């Protein structure tokens, strides 16, 4: 996936979800609305069905649940089942574990490149290196987004997920190398996407614990959302006899295929 696509996905996550006023009682990992898909009823009705509880899916679900009934279908499990697996010390082990029930899944791209993708609530934020930065002001301007709303969206995400990193030896050496190579000015610590050298944000806190997009579900209205885990969606059916209705076909399994 190209840098520009990755940046676009990150900005979409930050820019379109502007709700940031409510706080509910459920804490991350103790969501009363998160269930295994084998417990799903035969029939249910929702205003929105979100297929994939990844980086954007969790943010979208939390936002929509303020004023609508939302169903999230996630083919993987919960990142809270094994909290230490997301710690910085287990970064490589978690990423490289591609056993049938793991959070990381091996795949080969259409051009033959081997890679891994997430299979867990929270998506790529559960597996990636944890670096965080905002999009450039120029990018936001070209997208014709309202800067005030974008700023609110950034703060909405950062309140739950983002921290100032501890700058260790190799990070200091890398920073100094950039400055010696003329990548100026030095901007210090900032979330802003600006020219020069900077220390960006991280989703790993000071103790090395990872905070993922699944934590954004703390913002969700628990009365208006259901999250089913281990649910693989195979078909979406559209009917228009009395308006527009959406339904789905799923298979529930323990192997997260």
């Amino acid at each position: 996936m190209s840098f520009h696509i990755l940046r676009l996905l990150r900005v979409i996550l930050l820019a379109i979800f502007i709700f940031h006023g409510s706080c509910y009682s459920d804490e991350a990992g103790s969501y009363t609305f998160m269930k295994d898909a084998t417990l799903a009823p035969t029939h249910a009705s929702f205003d929105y069905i979100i297929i994939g509880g990844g980086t954007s899916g969790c943010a979208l679900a939390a936002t929509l649940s303020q004023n609508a009934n939302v169903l999230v279908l996630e083919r993987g499990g919960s990142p809270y089942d094994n909290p230490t697996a997301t710690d910085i010390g287990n970064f490589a082990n978690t990423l490289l574990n591609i056993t049938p029930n793991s959070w990381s899944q091996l795949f080969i791209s259409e051009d033959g490149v081997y890679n891994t993708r997430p299979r867990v609530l929270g998506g790529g934020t559960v597996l990636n290196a944890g670096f965080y930065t905002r999009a450039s002001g120029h990018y936001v301007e070209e997208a014709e987004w309202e800067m005030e709303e974008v700023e609110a969206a950034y703060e909405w995400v950062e309140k739950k997920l983002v921290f100032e990193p501890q700058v260790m030896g190799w990070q200091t050496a890398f920073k100094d190398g950039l400055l010696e190579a003329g990548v100026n000015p030095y901007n210090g610590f900032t979330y802003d996407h600006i020219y020069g050298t900077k220390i960006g944000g991280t989703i790993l806190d000071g103790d090395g614990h990872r905070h993922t997009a699944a934590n954004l579900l703390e913002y969700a209205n628990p009365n208006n959302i259901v999250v089913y885990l281990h649910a693989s969606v195979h078909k979406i059916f559209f009917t228009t006899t009395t308006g527009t209705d959406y339904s789905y076909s799923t298979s529930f399994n323990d192997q997260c295929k």
Side-chain angles (χ1 to χ4, degrees), residues 137-208:
H138 178 68
Y139 188 95
V140 173
E141 183 179 347
E142 282 195 334
E144 299 182 351
W145 291 328
E146 293 293 333
M147 181 58 73
E148 184 176 338
E149 294 183 354
V150 171
E151 290 286 343
Y154 287 139
E155 293 171 4
W156 185 83
V157 172
E158 291 160 5
K159 181 179 179 181
K160 295 291 184 185
L161 305 188
V162 190
F163 305 86
E164 181 176 354
Q166 299 182 46
V167 181
M168 310 298 283
W170 75 266
Q171 292 100 331
T172 299
F174 186 72
K175 168 183 68 69
D176 293 343
L178 290 173
L179 294 174
E180 289 179 13
V183 184
N184 294 305
Y186 177 56
N187 298 298
F189 168 68
T190 178
Y191 294 151
D192 292 335
H193 187 92
I194 49 182
Y195 289 103
T197 296
K198 72 168 187 176
I199 304 297
T202 177
I203 60 175
L204 295 158
D205 64 24
D207 295 322

Side-chain angles (χ1 to χ4, degrees), residues 26-152:
D26 279 0
E27 296 181 357
S30 301
Y31 302 133
T32 57
F33 49 79
M34 186 169 66
K35 312 172 188 296
D36 193 272
T38 55
L39 301 176
T42 304
H43 300 285
S45 177
F46 298 88
D47 298 312
Y48 296 96
I49 299 174
I50 298 175
I51 300 173
T55 304
S56 296
C58 288
L60 180 60
T63 303
L64 291 175
S65 72
Q66 307 307 316
N67 299 299
N69 292 317
V70 180
L71 170 65
V72 179
L73 298 171
E74 167 54 46
R75 71 192 181 108
S78 167
Y80 307 112
D81 289 345
N82 185 4
T84 60
T86 57
D87 288 351
I88 186 62
N90 287 317
F91 168 67
N93 291 334
T94 302
L95 181 64
L96 298 176
N97 179 7
I98 55 173
T99 56
N101 292 311
S102 69
W103 299 341
S104 183
Q105 181 183 45
L106 181 67
F107 75 100
I108 305 174
S109 68
E110 293 181 354
D111 52 357
V113 177
Y114 283 79
N115 206 335
T116 57
R117 58 190 172 197
R119 180 173 45 190
V120 60
L121 186 70
T125 58
V126 180
L127 300 176
N128 65 26
F131 182 77
Y132 172 92
T133 187
R134 297 181 174 187
S136 68
H138 178 68
Y139 188 95
V140 173
E141 183 179 347
E142 282 195 334
E144 299 182 351
W145 291 328
E146 293 293 333
M147 181 58 73
E148 184 176 338
E149 294 183 354
V150 171
E151 290 286 343

